[in-house]
Amino acid sequence: GKIELAFVIPLLILAALLGDNVNYFVGKFFSNFIKSKEKIFFLKRSHIEQTEAFYEKHGGQAVIMARFVPIIRTVAPFVAGAGSMAYTKYIIFCVIGAVLWVAGITTIGYFLGSNEWVKHNFEKVVLGIVAVSVLPMIIGVLKAKFGAKA
């Protein structure tokens, strides 16, 4: 049968919020431990400090922006919890980001799914989506590497 968007979108928003909130509170719980170490697994103290600086510069909008960037989407709520972002500020932007992300991506996918060109070129579409979603990270790395010297 056909799945209704009116059912799927709220369910996915709830899932996104639950995941991010668990991530936030795990970060909050381990905050002092994380900050006392130089590196834990893949997470360096410098990464947390850079993300905190990003949050300070962009405010709560950073929580929304992070939602649209792979890898950062996963780490951002943890860092917000481990860092100094207050939960009341975090949750407002977390909800806005979840609604924009889920409703936007799901709706685009729903309408593109019925497009004949997309059906026949699905691999190209997926590769294009991956390229566009990784682009902000590539730009950030290039700015960090070459921007500092200029």
Side-chain angles (χ1 to χ4, degrees), residues 2-40:
K2 192 175 178 184
I3 297 174
E4 291 297 320
L5 281 183
F7 172 73
V8 170
I9 290 176
L11 195 63
L12 292 175
I13 290 170
L14 181 64
L17 290 172
L18 286 172
D20 279 0
N21 277 273
V22 167
N23 214 344
Y24 176 92
F25 285 109
V26 168
K28 193 83 153 164
F29 183 79
F30 289 108
S31 174
N32 292 334
F33 175 72
I34 292 162
K35 289 177 180 176
S36 73
K37 305 288 180 199
E38 198 55 49
K39 183 180 178 190
I40 301 168

Side-chain angles (χ1 to χ4, degrees), residues 41-116:
F41 300 113
F42 64 92
L43 194 65
K44 294 180 183 173
R45 186 184 321 145
S46 63
H47 292 163
I48 292 177
E49 290 165 357
Q50 287 171 339
T51 307
E52 278 190 299
F54 185 75
Y55 279 144
E56 284 176 31
K57 182 179 179 185
H58 297 286
Q61 295 170 348
V63 176
I64 297 170
M65 291 187 279
R67 178 78 66 181
F68 293 86
V69 183
I71 300 166
I72 294 176
R73 159 179 43 248
T74 308
V75 180
F78 180 83
V79 174
S84 53
M85 186 173 286
Y87 183 72
T88 48
K89 180 178 183 178
Y90 171 77
I91 192 64
I92 292 166
F93 290 100
C94 182
V95 169
I96 294 168
V99 169
L100 289 173
W101 169 249
V102 170
I105 297 299
T106 306
T107 304
I108 289 168
Y110 181 82
F111 288 110
L112 285 179
S114 59
N115 180 297
E116 284 304 313

